[in-house]
Amino acid sequence: METLQGIPVSPGIAISKALIVDNEGFMIPRYYVGRDAIGDELRRFESAIEAAANEIATNRHSVTAQLGEKIGTIFDAHWQMLRDPGVRHGVETLIRECEYSAEHAVTSTFDTFANVLRRSPSPILAERAHDLSDLERCLLRHLTGQAELDLANLTSEVVLVAHSLTPSETAKLKPAWVRGFVTEAGGAGSHTAIVAKGLEIPAVVGVGRFLTKVSTNDLVIVDGNTGAVIVRPDEETLARYQTEVQKQRSLAERLHLLRDMPPETKDGVRIGLMANIEFPTEVAACLERGADGIGLYRTEFLCLDCDAPPSEDDHYQAYARVVRDVAGRPVVIRTLDIGGDKAGWVEGIENERNPVLGLRSIRLSLRAPQLFLPQLRAALRVSMLGDVRLMFPLITTLAELRQAKAFLAEARHELDSRNEAYRRDLPVGMMVESPAAAVMIDRFVGEVDFVSIGTNDLTQYTLAVDRGNASVADLYQAADPAVLRLIDATLRAARQAGVKASLCGQMSSEPVYTMLLLGMGLREMSIPPSSIPEIKRVCRHVTLAECERVAAHAMTLDNARDVETFLRDQYRQLGF
Ligand code: PEP
Ligand code: MG
């Protein structure tokens, strides 16, 4: 039995056999092969080299025939790498001395070489890292004798074990088969974590290097509540976790009874509990949990897997489905928030040095009218179908907000000239997720109909901590007093201006923060649907006066740890 600790990002417990997937979506069958199989593995590697060499020669031939000799020579780099004695020696040594399977030896060796190249100051050498990873995929394909594993089409229950998963890979996972996942990399605020929560797949990220400790088909327990990952559990541990699964099931059944009860405090104040979604298919889960509407529709997930920008009609069809399915409840459509860890296909942002400080979100939309205007036209048109609201992400300056609104005016103008109907009074809001927006909030509230605080990014930018980086995950604390002050200032300014304020970052889905947020004056939150029952339970157990006392005290504390300890203590006293 091996126990590891990572960052819990999606609650629940999964117990299943491991399926190890490498970075490029290949299934790696075994890690260690044993002494007897070394000869076989060396022969398999040799055959894969020959097959890859033939494939490269065929590709070179056909590309040269179509595009000329000069273009055909790009395959020479692959050829040279394939024949490089250093690479070959590296793989063979790992098989011979460490008893690695050929696949495992290939990924380890290619990783080492690619990392050296990537760090090279020469852009030409750094570019070679891509060639190396193409070649690695080619070898893996020949070794495993399979096409890249299609994560969307698994047909047996597994716990996925990977170095990392991108948000779009995670989005493809089917909870019926992927019972849980564990990754070496990643942090609590990453979009991979957010999608896992949306899909209700128990997940632990940021475990650090551990892939060599697991083999495909090992039994693995993923505890998405505490971050524990147990490989090959002993009988006692397995029995303990099986009992825990039963307990959680009965808690979920009890919470389900709250479904039709209002999220109202003991002193009768109705709290809005909206849901966050990434895909139209999630609306059913929101209604099942009793959501008041969709408070954050992350529309960028519509296009993370595409090769080209979605058309106005692609946008319209997706939004129309959401608006129809929520049957009259409000839907906040957030415009594309591409970039950061949601790079997708957009040209020009794939090699940014600091993607979260780069051309992401509204900045990208403002520079790409061909991306932005079709989305705005679709959102305007869909406003005819229900209670639709539009929200701009990552607004940092007033100029950006005004520019975004100018684009909206242009989209209206285009619809007018097409004689298309839309609601002229479509409410327009912004996310407050940059410290600059929070500091200048008194100026922003005069120009929007509502604001929604995005604590995932607000925490990242206030504390200068990459939300997806496991090495600094301990510094990523929404309860830091600096973040709390910005939330407080935003809520106060919104209240004074009579502008509605919501909070849609992960913070509002953690029951331990509910009293604090209500005490600060928050009356609407938008959270993953799976969190609605628990947050509703807290709302129904507290009075606003109690919450105000909790918030007032929390605001006097001077570090995140003290705030957390105090809030956990208050939460415990609720006696659930
Ligand atoms: C946030 O930053 O808090 C937020 C809700 O947006 P996202 O997580 O999609 O960046
Ligand atoms: Mg954000």
Side-chain angles (χ1 to χ4, degrees), residues 478-541:
D480 191 281
V483 181
L484 299 189
R485 284 191 190 192
L486 294 180
I487 297 173
D488 189 50
T490 305
L491 293 174
R492 278 174 200 277
R495 217 166 26 244
Q496 257 172 26
V499 162
K500 264 187 118 176
S502 174
L503 195 152
C504 61
Q506 296 286 93
M507 185 183 195
S508 53
S509 66
E510 301 286 340
V512 42
Y513 297 131
T514 310
M515 291 182 84
L516 167 73
L517 295 173
L518 296 183
M520 283 169 138
L522 189 70
R523 296 291 176 266
E524 183 184 298
M525 325 184 183
S526 191
I527 56 188
S530 58
S531 304
I532 290 178
E534 250 187 311
I535 300 298
K536 190 189 278 189
R537 177 167 67 159
V538 180
C539 293
R540 293 180 58 82
H541 267 79

Side-chain angles (χ1 to χ4, degrees), residues 38 167 391 461 482:
I38 289 176
M391 177 161 76
Y461 293 123

Side-chain angles (χ1 to χ4, degrees), residues 334 337 360 431 433 457 467:
R334 179 177 75 178
D337 187 29
R360 69 165 284 209
M431 292 200 60
E433 49 183 352
D457 276 316
R467 59 194 267 191

Side-chain angles (χ1 to χ4, degrees), residues 191 194 296 298 300 334 337 342 360-361 393-394 431-433 454-458 460-461 467 504-505:
H191 286 89
I194 287 167
L296 170 65
R298 291 183 164 100
E300 58 279 4
R334 179 177 75 178
D337 187 29
K342 294 177 286 192
R360 69 165 284 209
S361 197
L394 202 66
M431 292 200 60
V432 178
E433 49 183 352
T455 45
N456 304 337
D457 276 316
L458 189 60
Q460 158 166 274
Y461 293 123
R467 59 194 267 191
C504 61

Side-chain angles (χ1 to χ4, degrees), residues 39-57:
D40 283 348
E41 292 305 293
L42 288 170
R43 275 188 290 282
R44 288 178 61 232
F45 174 54
E46 199 50 49
S47 316
I49 293 249
E50 284 322 308
N54 287 337
E55 188 178 320
I56 293 169

